[in-house]
Amino acid sequence: MMVKPQIYKWLVLALFVICSVMGAVTSDASNHKYKNGDVVPLYANKVGPFQNPRYYQISFVNVIAGFLGGFFPISETYRYFDLPFCLPGDLKEKKEALGEVLNGDRLVSAPYKLDFLVDKDSEFICTKKLTKQEVNKFRKAISKDYYFQMYFDDLPLWGFIGKYEKTELNELKYYLFKHLQFEVLYNKDHVIEVNVRTDPSALVDVTEDKEVNVDFMYTVRWKETNIPFDKRMEKYSQNSSLPHHLEIHWFSIINSCVTVLLLTGFLATILMRVLKNDFVKYAHDEETAEDQEETGWKYIHGDVFRYPKFKSLFAAALGSGTQLFALTIFIFILALVGVFYPYNRGALFTALVVIYALTSGIAGYTASSFYCQLEGTNWVRNLLLTGSLFCGPLFLTFCFLNTVAIAYSATAALPFGTIVVIALIWALVTSPLLVLGGIAGKNSKAEFQAPCRTTKYPREIPPLPWYRGSLPQMAMAGFLPFSAIYIELYYIFASVWGHRIYTIYSILFIVFIILVIVTAFITIALTYFQLAAEDHEWWWRSFVCGGSTGLFIYGYCLYYYYGRSDMTGFMQTSFFFGYMACICYGFFLMLGMIGFRASLFFVRHIYRSIKCE
């Protein structure tokens, strides 16, 4: 159902506020100016195994995020000082915004001091006497290819904490890096780029369980560059914009467009010719209706608009799907205007939480108004079902995975204060807007527009072949949209669950539009064939067929996990399949809504075109 103009005004205002806030964050970063000798902030963030990559914001709708399920950090990382590095004399934790905490950032002051334009040569930090337990902890981390991540003037930098190699006797030797070499590029009074390397000659053998003395040191070199400050983030997006990558992306777009053109052309040709013949036949048979029995989709005109079973659940699913669709569109708008520039920490998660809360009114209005159109009476229960249909499974999944993260002492475990903030947002923003939207939908007094009267008793559905069942139809309906997004899906997964950065939002938006179009057309075609077979229970069928692409995406998750990734361990496995289940469930609701809306428009159109008694 359409949302009232007042609700649209509030949503536009909220989007403007979010853009303003994100823009303010960006502008603050652009004012980072330093004088010779000034202290440039350097924060240590995380450590973690390279094969279980940390989650970085999907530039989609982490998108499409994500895009739907990515409200929380979803990978195996730990606090930097969980490993026994040298502690700084003034260890302080950086105060972080909600989105940064949800992103899993845990920034603390680093022991390295990189003063502006001050070179340092083998600066001494401390001598650390590692116990046997600490040596063992470093060795285990090195064996899993642990890397560290820091932020220098809001620029990310990474490095490995050590290395291992095989000896001539086929034995593994483990070495800890004790000397880091920082190279910083600057332009006038701005920091432009930072890189960190390890001194290959400064190694400490941690193969054996014995006490070791380690002298941690670092070197700093400053170099001038002509790169302007406003382009310093382009370095991090170049990897996703390389020519051969763009060629693959555009090949994906062309492939998807060809699929859409062939599909729409085929469906338009077939359906127009078939429907034209049907209209001619039914118009001719009106004069001889007493002598000839009706067949096909006109035969069930008295049942096609019969309300579906479990109409409260159906209306709730429709409302949740509409909200997720609105969330996706708003996230795309923010991405296209440049809010989610690479490594804008927490921006995506903040936008997801805020926009999801603000769009709950859309879910309440859509579900309540449609439920009342279906002559439902218990609209309060329908609102409760709408509010918990997506949030309920997401909350249960989060509770389980957050418990796992706590057991592993990972940064993915949200602090109690952050959980309280999210609960307050849900209680003070999401729920009231859901209720207000529900009240507006209940009072809209809209009637269901059915071109045909519904008979008192339903007709019996004739026996149908197996391939017209729900599961075969879902397989057919989900395969075509999935094939249109398959190539781009790999890059999204590589960004969400890997170390790549996805920044080509325009291409992703085109793919999303293609996904919506293909879903709508294939659902319309299957609905027509279902009605032509005199099966009038098309309501739920069109919804599950439209949403079946979400099941194919989850099937791709299995392939990606075992065939394309190196993720291991219970925590990473549970996070991957748990949060991807939530994301795919969100896709199921959103695309199911699109499939049903397209089918409802089509069914109303064809039954208005004939005379039904």
Side-chain angles (χ1 to χ4, degrees):
M1 300 300 298
M2 299 299 294
V3 185
K4 285 190 172 182
Q6 292 86 346
I7 299 179
Y8 275 126
K9 292 179 181 179
W10 281 107
L11 290 175
V12 172
L13 178 61
L15 186 62
F16 174 76
V17 171
I18 293 173
C19 289
S20 300
V21 173
M22 301 302 179
V25 173
T26 304
S27 62
D28 288 343
S30 64
N31 292 327
H32 287 181
K33 296 182 179 181
Y34 304 97
K35 298 179 181 178
N36 195 347
D38 285 352
V39 176
V40 183
L42 174 64
Y43 293 101
N45 190 14
K46 307 175 186 179
V47 293
F50 186 79
Q51 66 270 22
N52 289 346
R54 65 182 300 278
Y55 177 85
Y56 241 118
Q57 56 186 0
I58 174 174
S59 304
F60 156 44
V61 70
N62 203 177
V63 212
I64 292 180
F67 137 106
L68 289 176
F71 282 16
F72 306 102
I74 45 181
S75 70
E76 184 179 356
T77 54
Y78 305 94
R79 293 177 180 270
Y80 181 81
F81 289 111
D82 282 352
L83 293 177
F85 291 110
C86 288
L87 291 172
D90 54 344
L91 181 63
K92 296 180 181 179
E93 291 191 5
K94 182 180 181 295
K95 292 184 179 180
E96 297 168 321
L98 174 63
E100 294 175 320
V101 177
L102 294 178
N103 194 38
D105 291 330
R106 305 292 185 267
L107 274 66
V108 296
S109 53
Y112 310 98
K113 304 299 181 182
L114 278 65
D115 300 329
F116 193 69
L117 300 183
V118 177
D119 289 341
K120 294 182 179 181
D121 189 14
S122 299
E123 186 78 8
F124 179 78
I125 302 177
C126 78
T127 298
K128 184 80 172 182
K129 186 175 182 179
L130 301 179
T131 64
K132 293 181 180 180
Q133 292 78 12
E134 291 174 335
V135 168
N136 182 56
K137 183 178 289 189
F138 268 126
R139 184 170 61 251
K140 287 183 177 179
I142 295 171
S143 67
K144 296 181 180 179
D145 286 329
Y146 265 46
Y147 67 94
F148 65 83
Q149 189 210 30
M150 299 181 183
Y151 279 98
F152 180 68
D153 193 39
D154 287 335
L155 294 174
L157 61 149
W158 302 267
F160 286 96
I161 68 171
K163 69 174 184 177
Y164 59 90
E165 57 186 27
K166 285 186 178 182
T167 64
E168 295 179 355
L169 300 177
N170 206 27
E171 296 178 350
L172 286 177
K173 300 285 288 185
Y174 298 91
Y175 299 99
L176 174 67
F177 297 136
K178 66 175 183 178
H179 190 173
L180 295 183
Q181 299 172 335
F182 295 93
E183 182 182 80
V184 188
L185 303 182
Y186 70 96
N187 187 348
K188 297 181 180 179
D189 53 0
H190 286 298
V191 175
I192 303 300
E193 182 179 328
V194 59
N195 298 292
V196 62
R197 294 176 296 179
T198 54
D199 187 350
S201 62
L203 304 175
V204 178
D205 192 341
V206 291
T207 306
E208 300 178 3
D209 283 331
K210 63 179 182 180
E211 294 183 354
V212 178
N213 290 327
V214 183
D215 295 329
F216 287 98
M217 298 178 295
Y218 68 102
T219 298
V220 183
R221 292 285 182 269
W222 289 83
K223 296 182 179 180
E224 191 171 6
T225 181
N226 295 324
I227 301 175
F229 180 83
D230 56 359
K231 294 184 178 181
R232 69 173 186 166
M233 286 295 176
E234 291 184 357
K235 165 192 172 182
Y236 302 100
S237 59
Q238 286 177 354
N239 187 44
S240 64
S241 304
L242 293 177
H244 64 279
H245 284 175
L246 282 176
E247 288 178 4
I248 296 175
H249 283 290
W250 282 114
F251 175 77
S252 173
I253 293 293
I254 295 173
N255 174 67
S256 300
C257 289
V258 170
T259 302
V260 171
L261 290 176
L262 290 178
L263 177 64
T264 54
F266 172 77
L267 291 179
T269 302
I270 297 300
L271 290 181
M272 290 299 293
R273 295 183 67 177
V274 172
L275 285 174
K276 183 179 179 180
N277 293 335
D278 288 344
F279 291 148
V280 172
K281 174 185 175 183
Y282 292 145
H284 179 267
D285 288 347
E286 286 176 2
E287 301 177 356
T288 60
E290 297 181 358
D291 301 327
Q292 265 188 322
E293 185 179 2
E294 294 177 347
T295 58
W297 52 269
K298 185 182 178 184
Y299 178 65
I300 58 173
H301 63 82
D303 298 278
V304 72
F305 293 105
R306 189 179 304 280
Y307 299 148
K309 299 176 182 178
F310 311 109
K311 54 188 177 183
S312 181
L313 177 61
F314 189 84
L318 206 60
S320 297
T322 306
Q323 179 187 8
L324 295 174
F325 181 74
L327 170 65
T328 304
I329 295 299
F330 281 127
I331 290 294
F332 268 125
I333 293 175
L334 292 177
L336 292 173
V337 298
V339 171
F340 305 133
Y341 62 85
Y343 300 111
N344 184 4
R345 296 193 314 275
L348 176 67
F349 291 99
T350 301
L352 281 172
V353 173
V354 173
I355 296 177
Y356 184 84
L358 295 176
T359 54
S360 58
I362 295 178
Y365 181 88
T366 303
S368 182
S369 60
F370 196 79
Y371 179 67
C372 292
Q373 289 182 45
L374 300 182
E375 300 178 1
T377 55
N378 197 342
W379 67 277
V380 176
R381 185 181 64 181
N382 175 253
L383 272 185
L384 293 175
L385 184 59
T386 303
S388 59
L389 192 62
F390 180 71
C391 286
L394 179 61
F395 174 74
L396 294 176
T397 302
F398 163 72
C399 289
F400 170 73
L401 295 180
N402 200 58
T403 303
V404 173
I406 292 174
Y408 277 76
S409 300
T411 60
L414 294 189
F416 178 75
T418 303
I419 297 176
V420 171
V421 170
I422 295 175
L424 289 176
I425 292 175
W426 185 85
L428 301 179
V429 180
T430 305
S431 298
L433 287 179
L434 179 70
V435 173
L436 291 176
I439 294 174
K442 172 181 173 294
N443 297 332
S444 63
K445 297 180 181 180
E447 296 182 357
F448 185 78
Q449 303 296 325
C452 306
R453 291 181 298 176
T454 302
T455 58
K456 186 175 182 180
Y457 301 103
R459 294 180 183 271
E460 182 179 356
I461 299 175
L464 299 175
W466 66 270
Y467 55 84
R468 290 189 179 274
S470 297
L471 291 179
Q473 296 289 297
M474 289 175 63
M476 186 182 302
F479 176 76
L480 285 176
F482 175 77
S483 64
I485 65 172
Y486 169 75
I487 298 178
E488 200 67 22
L489 202 61
Y490 166 75
Y491 290 95
I492 297 174
F493 271 68
S495 174
V496 179
W497 297 102
H499 298 279
R500 294 188 179 182
I501 306 169
Y502 194 99
T503 58
I504 313 177
Y505 312 113
S506 56
I507 290 182
L508 191 60
F509 185 57
I510 295 174
V511 172
F512 177 71
I513 294 175
I514 292 173
L515 174 64
V516 171
I517 294 175
V518 176
T519 299
F521 270 89
I522 192 63
T523 308
I524 288 174
L526 292 176
T527 299
Y528 170 77
F529 294 137
Q530 181 181 356
L531 298 178
E534 301 178 6
D535 182 358
H536 55 80
E537 295 181 350
W538 64 276
W539 297 66
W540 274 110
R541 179 75 67 83
S542 63
F543 190 95
V544 297
C545 284
S548 60
T549 304
L551 302 179
F552 276 83
I553 296 177
Y554 199 69
Y556 180 82
C557 293
L558 296 172
Y559 163 73
Y560 182 85
Y561 182 85
Y562 292 106
R564 291 295 187 94
S565 75
D566 296 320
M567 291 183 282
T568 57
F570 175 75
M571 176 184 168
Q572 188 66 14
T573 301
S574 59
F575 267 57
F576 179 80
F577 288 107
Y579 280 121
M580 284 309 303
C582 293
I583 293 175
C584 294
Y585 176 55
F587 269 98
F588 177 83
L589 293 174
M590 180 179 66
L591 296 178
M593 178 275 299
I594 293 172
F596 169 73
R597 288 296 189 187
S599 297
L600 179 61
F601 174 81
F602 170 76
V603 172
R604 280 175 172 167
H605 175 73
I606 63 173
Y607 280 95
R608 284 196 187 103
S609 302
I610 62 172
K611 182 179 179 181
C612 300
E613 299 296 336

